[in-house]
């Protein structure tokens, strides 16, 4: 497999994983929590590496899940015990944890091979070189396998839990009234987001994970008629962004991950302006504001 | 059975479907309800009335376990809600719903069946038939494929009622079902209530329009930070009680309860 | 390291003075402006705006090929405003929800900025190095001309706040009311937005894009624990912001290659943590102490009342009682009982009689007072709140500890100075020579 194909595969898998959980985060109005998690997961990675000295996939996953849960827990703690409003709680927890991670990295630059800037936007072009071995054979890039695992996990999670996720996203009080354990499902979703973030992280860095979580899903949100179609469309838009973004970056000789995010944004604006029910074009056609029949 | 004494005995033998003991609730550190006690017999339609901010919605949510209670006990058919969840249907206020959610009318009503499904099972033909039936009962069967963002206020309310109906519950708790609906929908809802009552179901609504209470409801719960009265409308919906509910400014009670809460 | 530290604070190096003053001004202005976001529950928009500034900086550089601070600042302000209006548009005119709108602008604009940055890095232009410092901030890179411009901008945003303080405060707390008064709300909101954008943009060089949000958020979150009055909170914001600015400048001096942004956050986190725990009234420590004090008060007063009740039954207040007798009437842990007895002895409420205890004059007065509160409240609940007599005891058990003489008078007046509680027992009067067990 050529390097270009590996990169495209990794980029698409990342888009798929992010779009799957991203759709749910958008429906639950938790986009900024997704932003928070994508930052704090860095600390999990750094600590996991510092403590175990290993960069194995399992170690990183565990570090990510742990810190993800701690983030959610601390945010809740500040909100409940510190009597601090919700938006401030999120902001304080994630900037603090991220700052600590960055300091640890700067201070121990020799020992951790994560470059300060690259942790923000990754360097997917190098991913194909970072391969793993199994039974003595080189089976391909780490990033590919991590993302494949996570994509499958997300798919299974959404398929099995579809009803619960839909009920909780639509009307949490109904879900609770029907006896669904809202907290359990909530934490499970947070865990999947943490896993998705950490595996995307190596390839595309923190901020761009947020773009892939949020932008394709919102593009789909504009035009979907069911949660099912929204998820499918999110994935399609993400794949489109990944592929077009890659070629854009090659042409401009710039960061691949940034290009992917830009294309996601471009597709979003396209749909917003031309295809969504309350788009400018539609409104001009109707020449009156949208009303319910 | 025209003998009043016999009728009274028959009333007494009716089982209690909902019993609330010494329920106290706080909301965002402000005391909302103190020491509420009442029992609702089967088959009644009950209106919960009181001024704004008096704790009516909070009472409903507390009974459903959606907000934590400070103290007290709530039992449905003699048991905790956990054991009787499927027997109780809850219809929230319309403004709490995200009407932009991508979903059509049919799927909203189908959610009412979710409580009965186990982890891996999916809704079957029977469930879908029940949904169709519920939609017919509220007169929304033509709209079943419509997106909920395209419905009017009255239509939205009917969809939520249909969802509660699809649950095949015995008790229906509703938060302001008549708020902001057109005349036709209001009449439709009342007809539905009567049908449900004939089938032995119990209906408990937070209601804002005092004028319609005696016509629409058999029972009234009058609430203003505590229970003023509970019982059949003819008995308790009196000018005296109304005065206490709407004008009785128990400033001392509120002040003391607030101090108590700060004291911890 | 220590030498460098001392050297810094001698302020002999003019560059140090410039950087320090710049950082302090920046810190205070972002702290103060951030509070307006906080009170409208929109703290996260600061994060989005900071990220939205990045493409402006990069584009300005690509277009004009200069590091001139005016140009860079101008570019940043423009792209920040574009980001702001885009968020506004999405929220007001589309079904996109606010959290998503913030995340979209944050990540998209940032991506555009990064795209341009990586593109620039491959180009052969002079001056391009160090552009990436804007991601995490570097105070040490500031030169005098930078600081002058930043300082003026900071003063400008602070001036806006001071000049229009009343209007801005009203709009922040109750927008609709402000509109109803005929105030031109959109104008002031735009002004406020301009001041916020200005603070964000000038803070970028020291705090960096990624962590800028913290400079807006932490000072007010911390200040909130100390006070309820807005002017006081704003001053604290300025103070905390200034401290973090100074600390950042200091650290940048000690270790010029380290990014300043994260250290600013760590400093602010420390301030926040201290405020959250130790601030009087709202701080966690104070709340804990208060809870313990109240719990002890409850135990002690309960004990006194139990003495009184037993004495009342025996019709004599000089009875000496054994702890077991007390426990038979009131359910109390033996440990709690022991501690309570110790406290009551210390305060002269009870006295020892061999192995037994009895009420002193002082204790009797106090016990009577508590009992009066208890029974008055029971009567109030039955008469005014329609609660049946069997249910009022539990409530009174709690309320008796929180009543004050003033409240007691009001309750008594409203009930018409009653003599008997709902259970037919005598309510001890406040006049020690009438009623009670001493007559």
């Amino acid at each position: 497999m050529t390097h270009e194909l590996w990169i495209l595969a990794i980029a698409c898998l990342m888009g798929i994983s992010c779009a799957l959980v991203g759709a749910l985060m958008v429906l639950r109005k938790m986009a900024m929590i997704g932003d928070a998690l994508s930052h704090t997961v860095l600390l999990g990675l750094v600590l996991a590496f510092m403590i175990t000295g290993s960069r194995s996939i399992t170690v990183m996953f565990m570090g990510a899940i742990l810190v993800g849960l701690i983030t959610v827990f601390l945010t809740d703690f500040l909100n409940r015990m510190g009597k601090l409003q919700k938006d401030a709680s999120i902001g304080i927890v994630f900037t603090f944890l991220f700052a600590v991670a960055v300091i640890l990295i700067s201070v121990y630059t020799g020992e951790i091979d994560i470059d300060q800037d690259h942790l923000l936007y990754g360097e997917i072009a190098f991913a194909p070189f970072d391969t793993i071995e199994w039974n003595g054979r080189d089976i391909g890039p780490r990033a590919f396998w991590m993302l494949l695992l996570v994509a499958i996990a997300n798919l299974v999670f959404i398929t099995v839990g579809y009803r619960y996720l839909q009920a909780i996203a639509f009307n949490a009080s109904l879900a609770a009234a029907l006896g669904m354990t809202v907290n359990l499902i909530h934490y499970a979703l947070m865990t999947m987001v943490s896993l998705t973030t950490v595996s995307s992280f190596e390839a595309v860095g923190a901020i761009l994970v947020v773009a892939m979580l949020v932008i394709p899903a919102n593009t789909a949100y504009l035009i979907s008629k069911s949660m099912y179609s929204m998820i499918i469309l999110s994935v399609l838009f993400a794949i489109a962004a990944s592929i077009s973004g890659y070629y854009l970056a090659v042409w401009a000789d710039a960061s691949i991950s940034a290009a992917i995010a830009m294309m996601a944004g471009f597709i979003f604006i396209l749909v917003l302006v031309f295809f969504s029910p309350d788009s400018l074009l539609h409104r001009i056609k109707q020449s009156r504001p949208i009303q319910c029949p | 059975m025209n003998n009043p004494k016999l009728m009274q005995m028959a009333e007494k033998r009716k089982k209690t479907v909902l019993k609330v003991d010494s329920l106290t609730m706080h909301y965002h550190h402000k005391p909302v309800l103190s020491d509420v006690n009442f029992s609702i017999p089967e088959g009644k339609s009950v209106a919960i009335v009181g001024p704004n901010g008096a704790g009516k919605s909070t009472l409903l949510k507390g009974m459903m376990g959606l907000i934590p209670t400070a103290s007290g006990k709530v039992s449905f058919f003699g048991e905790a809600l956990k054991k009787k969840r499927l027997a109780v249907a809850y219809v929230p206020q319309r403004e709490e719903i995200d009407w932009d959610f991508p979903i059509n009318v049919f799927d909203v009503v189908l959610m009412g069946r979710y409580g009965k499904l186990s982890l891996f099972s999916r809704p079957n033909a029977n469930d879908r038939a029940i949904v169709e039936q519920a939609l017919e009962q509220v007169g929304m069967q033509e709209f079943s494929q419509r997106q909920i963002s395209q419905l009017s206020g009255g239509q939205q309310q009917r969809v939520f009622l249909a969802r509660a109906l699809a649950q095949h519950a015995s008790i229906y708790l509703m938060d302001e079902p008549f708020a902001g609906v057109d005349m036709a929908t209001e009449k439709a809802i009342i007809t539905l209530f009567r049908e449900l009552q004939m089938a032995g179901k119990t209906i408990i609504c937070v209601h804002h329009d005092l004028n319609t209470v005696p016509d629409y409801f058999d029972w009234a719960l009058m609430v203003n930070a505590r229970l003023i009265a509970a019982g059949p409308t003819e008995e308790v919906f009196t000018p005296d009680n109304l005065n206490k509910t709407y004008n009785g400014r128990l400033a001392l009670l509120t002040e003391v309860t607030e101090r108590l809460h700060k004291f911890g | 390291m220590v030498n460098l530290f001392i050297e810094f604070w001698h302020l002999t190096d003019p560059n140090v003075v410039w950087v320090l003053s710049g950082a302090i001004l920046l810190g205070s202005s972002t702290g103060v402006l951030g509070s307006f976001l906080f009170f409208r529950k929109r703290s996260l928009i600061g994060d989005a705006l900071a990220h939205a500034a990045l493409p402006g900086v990069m584009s300005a550089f690509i277009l004009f090929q200069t590091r001139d601070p005016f140009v860079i600042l101008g570019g940043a302000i423009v792209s920040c405003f574009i980001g702001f209006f885009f968020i506004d548009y999405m929220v007001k005119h589309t079904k996109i929800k606010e959290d998503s709108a913030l995340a979209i602008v944050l990540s998209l604009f940032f991506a555009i900025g990064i795209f341009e940055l990586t593109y620039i890095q491959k180009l052969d232009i002079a001056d391009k190095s160090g552009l990436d410092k804007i991601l995490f901030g570097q105070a040490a890179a500031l030169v005098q001309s930078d600081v002058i411009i930043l300082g003026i901008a900071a003063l400008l945003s602070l001036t806006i706040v001071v000049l229009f303080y009343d209007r801005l405060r009203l709009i922040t707390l109750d927008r609709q009311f402000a509109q109803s008064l005929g105030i031109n709300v959109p104008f002031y909101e735009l002004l406020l937005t301009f001041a916020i954008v200005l603070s964000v943009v000038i803070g970028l060089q020291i705090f960096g894009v990624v962590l800028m949000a913290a400079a807006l958020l932490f000072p007010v979150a911390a200040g909130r624990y100390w006070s309820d009055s807005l002017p006081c909170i704003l001053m604290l914001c300025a103070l905390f912001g200034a401290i973090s600015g100074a600390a950042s400048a200091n650290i940048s001096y000690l270790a010029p290659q380290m990014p300043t942004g994260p250290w600013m956050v760590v400093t602010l986190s420390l301030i926040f943590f201290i405020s959250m725990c130790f601030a009087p009234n709202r701080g966690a420590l104070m709340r804990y102490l208060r809870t313990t004090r109240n719990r002890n008060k409850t135990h002690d007063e309960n004990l006194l009342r139990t003495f009184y009740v037993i004495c009342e039954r025996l019709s004599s207040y000089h009875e000496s009682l054994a702890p077991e007798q007390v426990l038979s009437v009131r359910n109390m842990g033996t440990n709690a009982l022991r501690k309570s007895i110790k406290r009551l002895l210390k305060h002269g409420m009870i006295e020892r009689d061999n192995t037994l205890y009895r009420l002193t004059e002082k204790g009797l007065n106090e016990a009577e007072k508590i009992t009066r509160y208890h029974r008055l409240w029971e009567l109030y609940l039955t008469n005014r709140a329609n609660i049946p007599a069997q249910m009022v005891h539990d409530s009174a058990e709690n309320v008796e500890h929180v009543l004050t003489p003033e409240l007691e008078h009001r309750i008594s007046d409203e009930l018409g100075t009653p003599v008997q509680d709902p259970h037919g027992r005598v309510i001890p009067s406040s006049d020690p020579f009438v009623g009670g067990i001493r007559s």
Side-chain angles (χ1 to χ4, degrees):
Chain A
M1 206 129 113
T2 67
H3 282 150
E4 179 173 275
L5 276 177
W6 276 124
I7 295 176
L8 281 170
I10 291 171
C12 287
L13 277 177
M14 181 225 19
I16 295 172
S17 306
C18 287
L20 285 172
V21 288
L24 293 166
M25 297 296 272
V26 165
L27 285 173
R28 296 191 66 198
K29 309 197 219 330
M30 299 177 88
M32 288 308 272
I33 296 191
D35 179 48
L37 282 177
S38 75
H39 285 68
T40 60
V41 103
L42 176 66
L43 182 62
L45 285 182
V46 170
L47 286 178
F49 180 71
M50 281 173 69
I51 296 177
T52 66
S54 146
R55 280 185 68 221
S56 80
I57 296 184
T58 344
V59 164
M60 287 172 62
F61 275 179
M62 305 259 42
I65 296 178
L66 203 61
V67 168
L69 291 174
I70 290 178
T71 309
V72 178
F73 170 73
L74 277 179
T75 307
D76 210 42
F77 176 77
L78 273 183
N79 186 224
R80 205 93 55 74
M81 294 277 104
K83 313 260 186 258
L84 189 63
Q85 58 204 47
K86 256 213 161 106
D87 58 324
S89 306
I90 300 175
I92 286 186
V93 169
F94 93 79
T95 43
F96 175 67
L97 293 178
F98 192 67
V100 169
V102 174
I103 289 177
L104 283 177
I105 292 177
S106 320
V107 168
Y108 292 100
T109 303
E111 293 161 31
I112 305 181
D113 48 10
I114 310 176
D115 180 334
Q116 210 177 294
D117 287 350
H118 285 167
L119 62 85
L120 284 181
Y121 55 86
E123 197 40 84
I124 196 173
F126 295 143
F129 297 106
D130 189 13
T131 60
I132 51 180
E133 307 213 343
W134 200 31
N135 284 346
R137 272 188 30 207
D138 181 338
I139 51 168
R142 253 165 76 90
F144 176 80
W145 289 106
M146 277 173 84
L147 283 167
L148 186 61
L149 274 173
V150 169
I152 294 177
N154 282 346
L155 208 54
V156 168
F157 177 62
I158 291 184
T159 313
V160 168
Y162 185 83
R163 268 204 320 274
Y164 303 93
L165 293 166
Q166 182 195 39
I168 287 172
F170 178 53
N171 183 198
S173 57
L174 171 75
L178 287 174
M180 297 182 180
T181 28
V182 177
N183 275 336
L184 181 64
I185 300 169
H186 174 71
Y187 280 105
L189 180 60
M190 294 298 113
T191 307
M192 297 317 288
V193 174
S194 300
L195 287 176
T196 308
T197 327
V198 81
S199 37
S200 309
F201 198 82
E202 294 212 323
V204 297
I207 309 292
L208 299 165
V209 173
V210 180
M212 294 314 279
L213 278 174
V214 165
I215 302 181
N218 270 294
T219 317
Y221 182 58
L222 288 171
I223 56 179
S224 299
K225 295 203 192 291
S226 71
M227 190 168 109
Y228 178 67
S229 66
M230 179 169 158
I231 294 176
I232 308 244
L233 282 173
S234 305
V235 169
L236 291 176
F237 285 131
I239 295 177
S242 298
I243 298 179
S244 56
Y246 171 75
Y247 287 109
L248 172 64
V250 164
W251 172 78
D253 196 16
S255 156
I256 296 176
S257 36
I260 293 177
M262 275 174 65
M263 286 313 295
F266 177 70
I267 297 174
F268 171 72
I269 294 177
L270 215 62
V271 170
L272 181 64
V273 172
F274 293 110
F275 298 109
S276 69
D278 43 22
S279 66
L280 289 169
L281 208 69
H282 201 98
R283 277 215 227 140
I284 294 171
K285 268 202 226 154
Q286 299 215 326
S287 59
R288 61 174 166 81
I290 301 297
Q291 271 174 351
C292 285
Chain B
M1 245 205 309
N2 279 326
N3 186 333
K5 248 230 156 124
L6 276 176
M7 279 177 78
Q8 237 185 34
M9 283 167 60
E11 279 282 327
K12 282 226 173 86
R13 260 190 276 120
K14 268 214 177 110
K15 63 179 172 188
T16 303
V17 297
L18 169 62
K19 188 162 184 297
V20 169
D21 286 308
S22 301
L23 188 67
T24 302
M25 297 189 66
H26 297 127
Y27 187 65
H28 284 167
H29 317 304
K30 286 221 148 30
V32 176
L33 287 172
S34 329
D35 275 328
V36 175
N37 297 279
F38 59 84
S39 303
I40 311 270
E42 192 174 28
K44 299 290 173 203
S45 58
V46 184
I48 304 180
V49 295
N52 280 334
K56 309 190 301 274
S57 281
T58 313
L59 175 59
L60 217 57
K61 291 191 177 137
M63 295 196 295
M64 280 304 292
L66 298 173
I67 315 184
T69 61
S71 62
K73 204 171 80 147
V74 179
S75 31
F76 293 87
F77 296 103
E79 306 203 46
L81 178 63
K82 266 199 303 257
K83 299 218 173 92
K84 286 279 170 189
R85 271 211 191 274
L86 297 179
V88 184
Y90 174 64
V91 181
Q93 281 187 11
R94 281 211 322 279
E95 60 216 22
E96 291 173 24
I97 306 295
D98 173 15
W99 295 100
D100 285 326
F101 200 91
I103 192 168
N104 62 29
V105 165
F106 188 88
D107 286 334
V108 171
V109 181
L110 188 57
M111 277 193 194
R113 302 298 302 159
Y114 282 4
K116 297 208 183 345
L117 298 172
S118 64
L119 183 61
F120 287 105
S121 55
R122 309 195 49 202
N124 57 23
N126 184 36
D127 293 312
R128 307 188 104 79
I130 292 177
V131 169
E132 296 279 355
Q133 201 182 20
L135 282 173
E136 270 181 54
Q137 258 182 297
V138 297
M140 288 288 290
Q141 62 276 41
E142 292 162 33
F143 294 84
S144 86
Q145 295 307 307
R146 188 85 58 104
Q147 288 286 303
I148 56 176
S149 54
Q150 297 171 318
L151 300 177
S152 71
Q155 292 168 333
Q156 288 169 349
Q157 196 60 59
R158 293 199 219 189
V159 169
F160 272 76
L161 283 175
R163 186 179 75 178
L165 288 174
Q167 254 183 273
H168 282 186
S170 311
I171 305 179
Y172 293 79
L173 298 181
M174 310 194 199
D175 203 342
E176 306 236 17
F178 294 98
V181 301
D182 52 280
M183 242 355 302
T185 306
E186 190 159 324
K187 293 223 181 329
I189 297 180
I190 282 303
T191 318
L192 188 63
F193 279 11
R194 303 257 186 268
E195 285 171 16
L196 286 172
Q197 276 186 277
M198 297 258 274
K201 315 288 186 195
T202 314
I203 303 168
I204 304 172
C205 295
V206 170
H207 192 68
H208 65 288
D209 182 9
L210 292 176
N211 295 318
T212 46
V213 169
D215 301 319
Y216 291 174
F217 297 97
D218 310 321
W219 262 55
L221 287 177
M222 303 172 76
V223 169
N224 183 358
R226 77 252 176 244
L227 191 67
I228 310 281
T233 329
E234 314 87 61
E235 285 172 29
V236 306
F237 203 67
T238 60
D240 193 38
N241 279 342
L242 279 169
N243 199 23
K244 280 193 196 148
T245 310
Y246 284 84
N247 300 328
R249 239 166 290 128
L250 281 187
L252 275 172
L253 179 60
T254 327
E255 211 175 309
V256 167
T257 322
E258 199 158 338
R259 282 184 70 93
L260 190 60
H261 190 73
K262 286 214 186 94
F263 190 73
Chain C
M1 191 65 81
V2 183
N3 289 335
L4 275 176
F5 183 79
I6 300 175
E7 206 177 288
F8 180 85
W9 287 105
H10 271 155
L11 302 179
T12 44
D13 182 349
N15 213 40
V16 166
V17 175
W18 280 114
V19 172
L20 189 59
S21 345
I24 288 179
L25 265 177
L26 259 53
S28 349
S29 81
T30 49
V32 169
L33 268 306
S35 64
F36 289 95
L37 289 174
F38 181 85
F39 291 119
R40 297 181 91 173
K41 306 228 185 315
R42 303 186 79 194
S43 311
L44 295 173
I45 200 174
D47 198 18
L49 289 178
H51 286 76
L54 190 65
V57 171
M58 299 297 156
S59 304
F61 182 75
I62 293 177
L63 283 174
F64 301 105
Q65 311 241 337
T66 167
R67 292 282 293 278
D68 183 331
F70 270 121
V71 172
I72 302 289
L73 216 68
I77 292 180
V78 167
S79 96
C80 215
F81 261 110
I82 295 178
F84 176 77
F85 286 124
F86 191 27
I87 294 172
D88 207 44
Y89 171 77
M90 279 192 280
V91 168
K92 289 204 181 117
H93 300 288
T94 72
K95 62 191 278 205
I96 305 286
K97 300 288 180 289
E98 170 149 24
D99 64 304
S100 275
L102 291 179
I104 291 173
V105 166
L106 191 158
S107 55
L108 178 58
F109 278 58
F110 190 74
I112 297 174
I114 295 289
F115 185 79
E116 290 180 295
L117 176 64
T118 53
Y119 171 75
I120 290 171
Q121 282 172 338
K122 302 262 167 70
L123 293 179
D124 197 14
I125 308 182
D127 255 0
K128 69 173 183 193
S129 70
L131 260 186
D132 61 339
K133 295 291 176 233
I134 203 165
L135 290 174
F136 288 105
Q138 191 151 73
L142 288 179
V143 295
Q144 181 176 331
S145 52
D146 290 333
V147 175
I148 293 179
I149 295 176
L150 298 180
I152 294 176
L155 281 176
L156 181 59
S157 28
L158 282 174
T159 312
I160 290 178
V161 171
V162 169
L163 273 183
F164 300 105
Y165 175 70
D166 282 321
R167 298 278 157 91
L168 292 176
R169 181 183 60 164
L170 185 59
I171 292 172
T172 307
L173 294 182
D174 193 345
R175 194 177 187 277
Q176 283 182 326
F177 181 59
Q179 263 179 327
S180 73
L181 289 181
I183 295 178
N184 188 352
V185 171
F187 167 70
Y188 285 104
E189 287 190 327
L190 198 60
L191 196 61
L192 186 60
T193 307
F194 175 68
I196 292 173
V197 165
L198 200 58
S199 311
V200 165
V201 156
I202 59 183
L204 289 181
Q205 292 205 262
I206 292 198
F207 302 135
V209 166
V210 179
L211 295 167
M212 183 68 214
L216 292 163
L217 172 58
F218 277 72
V220 61
R224 192 74 184 83
Y225 285 110
W226 296 88
S227 166
D228 272 330
S229 110
L230 186 59
C232 199
I233 296 179
L234 289 180
M235 306 242 219
L236 283 171
C237 285
L239 176 66
F240 293 152
I243 294 176
S244 74
S248 308
N250 196 359
I251 291 167
S252 208
Y253 187 77
L254 296 174
Q257 75 287 358
M258 279 210 112
T260 344
W263 288 106
M264 172 270 292
V265 174
V266 167
T267 320
L268 284 173
S269 302
L270 204 61
I271 296 176
F272 174 76
F273 185 70
I274 294 175
S275 305
M276 184 174 81
C277 291
F278 299 112
N281 276 338
R282 285 239 182 75
L285 182 66
M286 293 312 254
R287 278 194 287 135
Y288 172 73
L289 288 177
R290 218 185 12 240
T291 315
T292 316
R293 193 171 16 111
N294 288 343
R295 201 182 40 230
N296 289 349
K297 178 172 187 277
T298 307
H299 285 319
D300 296 349
E301 289 182 352
N302 283 345
L303 188 51
L304 279 178
R305 220 172 71 74
T306 313
F307 266 83
Y308 185 91
V309 163
I310 298 178
C311 289
E312 198 183 27
R313 287 191 202 153
L314 301 173
S315 293
S316 151
Y317 87 104
H318 253 319
E319 286 296 317
S320 295
L321 304 174
E324 297 76 44
Q325 275 176 285
V326 170
L327 286 177
S328 70
V329 172
R330 178 176 290 276
N331 207 351
M332 222 176 164
T334 29
N335 217 9
L337 178 64
R338 210 171 18 94
K339 290 199 189 140
S340 237
I341 291 180
K342 248 186 14 197
R343 283 191 297 265
L344 289 176
L345 280 171
K346 191 166 109 177
H347 289 127
M349 297 283 186
I350 58 179
E351 56 195 5
R352 227 189 267 271
D353 179 14
N354 295 329
T355 51
L356 308 176
Y357 302 91
R358 59 170 177 241
L359 288 170
T360 61
E361 190 78 20
K362 190 173 168 196
L364 177 59
N365 283 339
E366 186 71 15
E368 262 191 351
K369 184 185 85 173
I370 311 271
T371 309
R372 183 166 60 248
Y373 287 175
H374 181 108
R375 294 179 181 168
L376 261 182
W377 187 249
E378 286 192 340
L379 196 60
Y380 179 81
L381 286 180
T382 48
N383 277 14
R384 306 299 257 170
N386 295 22
I387 305 207
Q390 338 57 296
M391 310 264 182
V392 298
H393 177 73
D394 287 335
S395 180
E397 276 291 303
N398 290 328
V399 169
E400 70 196 13
H401 305 292
V402 301
L403 288 183
T404 61
E406 187 242 339
L407 277 172
E408 183 232 325
H409 278 135
R410 284 166 64 189
I411 299 174
S412 180
D413 283 341
E414 199 163 317
L415 293 172
T417 18
V419 201
Q420 262 195 357
D421 80 358
H423 309 286
R425 288 186 298 230
V426 175
I427 298 182
S429 118
S430 29
D431 183 351
F433 295 105
V434 177
I437 50 182
R438 277 183 285 186
S439 61

